Amino acid sequence: MQPSPPSRRSFLQTSASGFGWLALQSLLADRSFGSQVQLTTPHLAPKAKRVVWFFLDGGLSHLDSFDHKPRLNQDHGKPLQIAGKKEDITGRTTNAILGSPFAFQRYGECGKMVSDLFPNIGSCVDDLTFLHGVHGPSPDHESAIGMLHGGSLLQGFPSVGSWAHYGLGSENQNLPGFVVMGSRKRMYRTNGFLPPVHQGSPFFQDPARPLSDLVMAEKIKSLQQNKMRAVGQLDRDFLKSSAQNQIIEAAIANHEKAYVMQDAVPEATDLTKETAATLALYGVGTERKETDEFGRQCLVARRLLERGVRFIEIVSNGWDQHGDLKEKHAQNARAIDRPIAGLLKDLKGRGLLEDTLVVFATEFGRTPNTEGGGSKPGRDHHPWGFTIWMAGAGLRPGTSHGQLDDFGYFPVEGAVDIHDIHATVLHLLGIDHERLTYRYSGRDFRLTDVHGKLVKEILA
């Protein structure tokens, strides 16, 4: 059997006495070397250079946050009568309409109605673009999350962050190009069938530390370098014997990246250099217990964006309120409202919002009718109409597109599905969603599959 020819990585790694991987770092920033992507320049003139994607895991109630429906309070307790009403998910949902327990008020010059859950985000509405006619195909958490992140109800498809990294690479050779904060769920950061180099790096899995295992175990740097040299040689030998396996190449690249991240990540996540005013803007500090954890993630995200990280997802957990909606939604909102508004204002103040895309999404909304009843009612899953908002690069600020019926159940105009959201996000990054493909299992795959259209109404 003829040995496989060496890959470009292994050729460089075997040069310079087996220390070629240090020089390789400059090449890893070039997506044409570090991955199999064929896109050498953006298809379109990009409006956004980077993305922050907020995800509220569990299902934020659109009816209690950004889509004001006075009819719910007017008809509170009456039976919900609407043509085409879907079957309830849990079997515990009643037909009684549940009025919102939160008051709404107008914000900004655009006069957008926002609930008391999000007064700080409300102060930013003139910079936000709301999509009120979003609908999805599944009321199940896992499949709906899969659709929102990977464009498929099935598991194992690459996440939107992986697709963005595959298409555009990273601008910083010493930091990951795709980062996910605040969750251990792999589906948010999975590369699926894309090359493993496009998998997201998990930050803040431990709230106390941005990233695990950053501190050097050895007492002196030269000892670590000797170990890395030995490990590198073992890796190269294994790679040769495995016919240049893509997964092994990715593991080697991870070792290389981890080495330089020992210096780059502590610098990027060091908040001691931030002013007291900035820390307060994000709600960071021991005296701000409710917002400190999420605020740190948002502030670190800004610092990573400044250093060239392409795509950052920040996850807020615990929004699945089948009961006790009033207390739990309020508790969750208090943790994220100030930090998210702080990030928006900070990006704008630094001139970064004009070429940064911010997305605020959840896998589905909540029903207008009551689940659970009693003194602490909740709402069931509702994918047939809900809200996603965006801000920043290439968008029409202070606008709302789409509308649900008076009960917040079905779209009556401006319906937008998840594939349309993905197509629009890629477009703003300079990528034609129909041309960004990856060959796998005998066919060309896209994030938008065979669907997706631009939501042109929200584009500047």
Side-chain angles (χ1 to χ4, degrees), residues 77-403:
K78 295 180 181 179
L80 178 64
Q81 297 178 344
I82 188 166
K85 181 180 177 296
K86 302 293 185 177
E87 183 178 351
D88 296 325
I89 307 306
T90 64
R92 299 188 301 269
T93 303
T94 75
N95 201 38
I97 293 172
L98 177 63
S100 178
F102 305 102
F104 281 72
Q105 61 179 300
R106 295 190 183 278
Y107 286 88
E109 293 183 6
C110 67
K112 181 66 180 175
M113 297 290 284
V114 177
S115 86
D116 289 348
L117 283 176
F118 295 110
N120 290 289
I121 294 177
S123 71
C124 301
V125 292
D126 287 332
D127 294 314
L128 307 186
T129 304
F130 290 88
L131 294 165
H132 288 305
V134 182
H135 59 95
S138 174
D140 169 72
H141 286 293
E142 297 305 304
S143 56
I145 291 172
M147 174 60 72
L148 180 67
H149 284 80
S152 174
L153 294 172
L154 303 177
Q155 302 297 306
F157 282 73
S159 69
V160 60
S162 291
W163 277 109
H165 187 259
Y166 167 69
L168 296 174
S170 180
E171 295 180 336
N172 190 315
Q173 64 198 53
N174 298 328
L175 291 168
F178 172 30
V179 167
V180 176
M181 298 183 180
S183 178
R184 296 179 179 273
K185 288 186 179 180
R186 191 176 185 276
M187 62 196 310
Y188 303 144
R189 56 188 172 90
T190 180
N191 58 290
F193 45 71
L194 292 178
V197 70
H198 303 297
Q199 180 176 241
S201 297
F203 274 47
F204 288 105
Q205 288 190 316
D206 178 349
R209 293 181 295 176
L211 199 61
S212 300
D213 302 319
L214 279 177
V215 179
M216 186 175 67
E218 295 76 18
K219 293 183 178 180
I220 55 176
K221 193 74 170 179
S222 60
L223 179 58
Q224 185 190 48
Q225 291 175 340
N226 288 339
K227 287 185 178 181
M228 289 293 294
R229 186 180 290 111
V231 169
Q233 185 60 57
L234 291 171
D235 284 342
R236 291 189 293 276
D237 292 344
F238 185 43
L239 183 61
K240 287 180 182 179
S241 68
S242 62
Q244 315 303 326
N245 185 285
Q246 193 178 81
I247 296 177
I248 298 172
E249 282 206 333
I252 294 173
N254 285 340
H255 289 165
E256 298 159 356
K257 183 75 77 174
Y259 179 80
V260 294
M261 282 171 61
Q262 284 187 325
D263 294 323
V265 171
E267 185 279 329
T269 59
D270 181 8
L271 303 187
T272 62
K273 299 178 182 179
E274 300 290 338
T275 66
T278 298
L279 295 176
L281 181 67
Y282 285 82
V284 173
T286 55
E287 71 281 11
R288 307 180 182 99
K289 292 182 180 180
E290 282 190 313
T291 57
D292 180 66
E293 180 180 330
F294 201 81
R296 287 178 181 277
Q297 294 177 24
C298 290
L299 184 48
V300 167
R302 191 218 76 205
R303 293 176 61 86
L304 292 176
L305 293 173
E306 290 176 315
R307 287 156 179 77
V309 174
R310 179 74 63 188
F311 197 106
I312 300 173
E313 177 166 351
I314 308 177
V315 180
S316 172
N317 298 291
W319 290 90
D320 190 22
Q321 266 72 74
H322 292 274
D324 206 4
L325 180 139
K326 181 179 180 180
E327 180 178 341
K328 295 297 178 60
H329 257 42
Q331 177 182 321
N332 291 339
R334 285 193 299 270
I336 70 171
D337 177 45
R338 184 174 180 178
I340 292 176
L343 178 60
L344 290 168
K345 293 174 181 178
D346 201 11
L347 290 174
K348 185 176 181 179
R350 294 169 185 267
L352 290 171
L353 190 59
E354 63 189 32
D355 57 7
T356 301
L357 177 63
V358 180
V359 180
F360 179 99
T362 189
E363 70 262 42
F364 41 57
R366 315 298 299 193
T367 57
N369 46 318
T370 306
E371 180 176 359
S375 61
K376 296 183 177 181
R379 301 188 191 272
D380 206 350
H381 304 173
H382 190 79
W384 300 286
F386 59 103
T387 296
I388 287 176
W389 61 252
M390 302 182 187
L395 296 169
R396 294 176 57 199
T399 61
S400 296
H401 174 68
Q403 182 179 338

Side-chain angles (χ1 to χ4, degrees), residues 10-87:
S10 63
F11 174 79
L12 286 180
Q13 286 175 322
T14 53
S15 64
S17 301
F19 220 63
W21 51 269
L22 285 177
L24 184 63
Q25 295 307 311
S26 63
L27 289 173
L28 285 175
D30 179 357
R31 62 182 182 276
S32 65
F33 178 85
S35 71
Q36 298 180 6
V37 69
Q38 301 300 309
L39 180 59
T40 55
T41 58
H43 299 132
L44 314 161
K47 302 295 184 182
K49 295 180 179 178
R50 60 196 80 85
V51 177
V52 181
W53 183 290
F54 289 104
F55 176 60
L56 277 58
D57 188 335
L60 168 69
S61 171
H62 57 297
L63 304 171
D64 300 294
S65 54
F66 301 107
D67 197 354
H68 184 219
K69 296 298 181 185
R71 183 72 179 273
L72 297 183
N73 289 80
Q74 294 168 12
D75 291 356
H76 176 75
K78 295 180 181 179
L80 178 64
Q81 297 178 344
I82 188 166
K85 181 180 177 296
K86 302 293 185 177
E87 183 178 351

